[in-house]
C-alpha cells in the first residue's frame, strides 16, 4: 500500500479551514485516499436545522464518490487541537460502504498524536453491500 498517512493527516488538518461550523464551533477535517491514488478532503457543514449537519468524513467520502474514485483505501480525521476526534457512528457506516474492513483510519488525539485503527475495528459486523448482495434471490 502506497498510502502516506502523514500526508493524509496533514490534508485533513488543512481541510478544517473549510468547515462551516457556526453552531458547534467544532471544526473537523477529513481526508480520504482512493484506490487510484487520489486524495479527497472534507469538512463538516452545519445547518440552522442542526440535524441536517453533515460531518467532515462524509463530505470527503462523497467528494471521492462523485469523482468516480472508489474504493477508499485510507482515512484521516482531525478536530480542534487538544481534542480526540474519532469518527461518529453514522460516518463509520458510510465509510464501511466504500472501504474494506482492513482500510486504515487515523484520527487525531488530544495529546497531539494520532490513533491508528481500521474501518473493520471501528464498525465490526457492518451492514454493508455484501449484506444486501447475500439476500438476492431469497426475498
Ligand atoms: N463531526 C464531524 O464532522 N465528524 C464526526 O465524526 C463527529 C462530529 C461534526 C458534526 C458537527 O458539525 C460537529 O462536529 C459537532 O458535533
Amino acid at each position: 500500500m502506497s498510502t502516506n498517512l502523514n500526508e493524509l493527516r496533514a490534508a485533513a488538518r488543512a481541510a478544517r479551514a473549510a468547515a462551516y461550523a457556526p453552531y458547534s464551533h467544532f471544526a473537523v477535517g477529513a481526508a480520504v485516499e482512493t484506490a487510484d491514488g487520489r486524495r479527497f478532503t472534507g469538512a463538516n457543514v452545519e445547518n440552522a436545522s442542526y440535524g441536517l449537519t453533515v460531518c467532515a468524513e462524509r463530505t470527503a467520502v462523497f467528494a471521492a464518490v462523485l469523482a468516480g474514485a472508489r474504493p477508499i483505501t485510507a482515512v484521516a480525521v482531525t478536530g480542534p487541537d487538544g481534542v480526540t476526534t474519532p469518527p461518529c457512528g453514522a460516518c463509520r457506516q458510510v465509510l464501511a460502504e466504500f472501504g474494506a474492513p482492513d482500510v486504515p483510519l487515523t484520527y487525531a488525539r488530544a495529546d497531539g498524536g494520532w490513533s491508528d485503527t481500521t474501518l473493520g475495528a471501528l464498525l465490526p459486523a457492518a451492514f454493508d453491500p455484501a449484506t444486501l448482495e447475500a439476500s438476492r434471490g431469497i426475498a
Side-chain angles (χ1 to χ4, degrees):
M1 184 179 57
S2 64
T3 306
N4 182 331
L5 284 183
N6 275 331
E7 286 183 11
L8 206 60
R9 289 167 179 143
R13 275 240 178 282
R16 285 188 68 234
Y20 175 74
Y23 308 110
S24 72
H25 303 289
F26 191 93
V28 181
V32 300
E33 187 178 87
T34 51
D36 59 8
R38 285 192 279 172
R39 187 180 298 146
F40 299 86
T41 58
N44 48 331
V45 180
E46 298 187 342
N47 193 276
S49 177
Y50 297 164
L52 300 185
T53 292
V54 181
C55 295
E57 297 91 323
R58 279 177 283 155
T59 58
V61 167
F62 296 158
V65 171
L66 290 172
R70 293 187 273 119
I72 284 163
T73 51
V75 186
V77 185
T78 180
D81 287 346
V83 182
T84 299
T85 311
C88 81
C91 290
R92 294 178 195 206
Q93 178 68 28
V94 171
L95 288 163
E97 181 79 17
F98 298 109
D102 65 348
V103 163
L105 183 146
T106 182
Y107 61 90
R109 284 199 315 260
D111 65 3
W114 294 79
S115 286
D116 295 342
T117 183
T118 63
L119 297 187
L122 287 169
L123 189 64
F127 186 95
D128 61 11
T131 311
L132 291 178
E133 195 62 38
S135 78
R136 295 256 161 91
I138 295 174

